[in-house]
Amino acid sequence: MSNQADLLTRVSAQEGVGREIHDPATGAVIGFAPVHTVADLDSAVAAARAAQPAWAALGHAKRIELLNAVADKIDANAEELAQLLSREQGKPLNGPNARFEVGACSVWLRATAATVLETETVVADEANPSQLFYKALGVVGAIGPWNWPLMISIWQIAPSLRMGNTVVVKPSEFTPLSVLALLEVMNEVLPADVLVGVSGDREVGARLASHPDIDKIMFTGSTATGRAIIRSSADNLARLTLELGGNDAGIVLPGTDPAAIAENLFWGAFINTGQTCAALKRLYVHDSIYEQVIEELAGIAAKMPMGNGLDENNVLGPLQNKKQFDIVSDLVEDARKRGGRIVTGGSPATELGELFYPITLVADLKDGDPLVDEEQFGPALPIIKYTDVEDAIASANRLEAGLGASVWSADPAAAREVAVRIESGTVWINQHGTIHPMAPFGGVKGSGYGLEFGVEGLKSVSIPQVITG
């Protein structure tokens, strides 16, 4: 078992050589990220390419055994990883945060290891049958975000390794140390160069996306960056899985009990202090229960402690970086000027630290207001009143984003009737943002394409091959 100091020492560069990484809760320097170059990336890809045939040749049974052993190793280092994650990303240890995220890494590894991808008989002709097989692609490039850096990295790594690919991981510039620490732990089990991390800037990420020896890119991040990756892939014809920006709508139908749904609504919007791609980001509530829903949400917000993530009592943390803090602050201020009613929050929580912004509920906004139309990716939720359900559905579908959505109702049949009409990759009923390792997940429209998780996730990192005869 490692400890946090050991992990930091093993993955950090020296002061003056690496780039300072700060704790968003305190501003303190926690370590120095290696600054790898394009040449370093080229070497990493070459090493992963060389290691891939032997990794694929191990076969499914041996790779499954190793993935389960990796999960055990993560569990043995879980507290150290969670502490480092909390310090670097800002999320608290408790609640659906740092310890939860590290635990999800081992859960996803084990679930992926247990997922079976069967050969399919597609033409059952005794004289001339056709069967569909799935084989390793080669080298997968995994480009991750800063909001759930460990868990989303595992979403990219686990299926890729399971199917016999090797992986080159490029973590976000904001959260490189925790991801490099995770890879360090995993590589205590895995063969050399099967899983390689490269910590660099946008130039390194761009090179990974366009690299001629990369067979697949998995990316979670903004729609703008996703479009750039698509353009890069035109030259190397790399396959793509893109989980891009979201602006998830929730629709609360008439007849719903506000008290019964309030806690799920709250965490649907404010998990990870709102810094989640598939968080609830705009809430449409029927006018018959509009004020009651607002009141229930405000009551829950008042009871949720925010502060330094290392404090065991807190469940909400800071914004991870100044850029995101400014986006949230500017959108809330704009909403105030447009006549939005600030129910809770509404101004920086400077008494907690530079990057803290309190849970902010903004009522009486409308479609077209920036806080409604633009992804805030933080602890500010616009609440919009509607009268006609048809109008609410039209509002949910009017934006480019289509990652997730939710419908809230005491009547499951009525909720499903609305759910099937919403343009998003996932629609939840009386919950928002819940995921399962066997339930495929992905976006539509501007939220990207390709599926992750379960059998479909394994297929997405494989080459399909039909053998006939």
Side-chain angles (χ1 to χ4, degrees), residues 257-260 262-263 266 291-301 361:
D257 179 1
E263 187 145 359
F266 180 89
E291 294 297 340
Q292 296 97 308
V293 168
I294 291 171
E295 182 180 350
E296 292 289 343
L297 283 174
I300 291 175
L361 303 173

Side-chain angles (χ1 to χ4, degrees), residues 12 59 69 87 105 146 166 178 228 277-278 295 347 374 396 404:
S12 288
R87 294 177 66 199
C105 291
W146 50 259
T166 52
S178 55
C277 296
E295 182 180 350
S347 58
E374 299 174 19

Side-chain angles (χ1 to χ4, degrees), residues 125-206:
D125 181 338
E126 288 186 11
N128 197 34
S130 293
Q131 289 186 307
L132 176 61
F133 297 81
Y134 293 90
K135 302 162 59 176
L137 278 162
V139 181
V140 174
I143 305 175
W146 50 259
N147 58 331
W148 294 91
L150 303 191
M151 186 170 69
I152 291 178
S153 291
I154 288 294
W155 292 354
Q156 299 168 335
I157 294 166
S160 300
L161 294 182
R162 168 73 172 77
M163 293 307 296
N165 306 292
T166 52
V167 186
V168 177
V169 178
K170 195 276 181 188
S172 166
E173 296 169 62
F174 290 109
T175 53
L177 295 177
S178 55
V179 174
L180 293 176
L182 175 69
L183 302 187
E184 186 78 9
V185 168
M186 297 176 72
N187 280 326
E188 293 177 16
V189 174
L190 295 170
D193 298 327
V194 165
L195 179 62
V196 186
V198 180
S199 169
D201 58 17
R202 289 172 182 250
E203 184 182 10
V204 171

Side-chain angles (χ1 to χ4, degrees), residues 221-276:
S222 72
T223 300
T225 303
R227 288 195 172 103
I229 289 172
I230 292 169
R231 287 190 289 270
S232 297
S233 71
D235 291 330
N236 63 1
L237 293 178
R239 290 162 170 81
L240 302 175
T241 295
L242 304 173
E243 195 261 84
L244 307 179
N247 196 345
D248 290 15
I251 300 175
V252 183
L253 298 182
T256 306
D257 179 1
I261 64 171
E263 187 145 359
N264 281 348
L265 271 177
F266 180 89
W267 285 115
F270 298 116
I271 187 172
N272 197 23
T273 317
Q275 300 168 109
T276 298

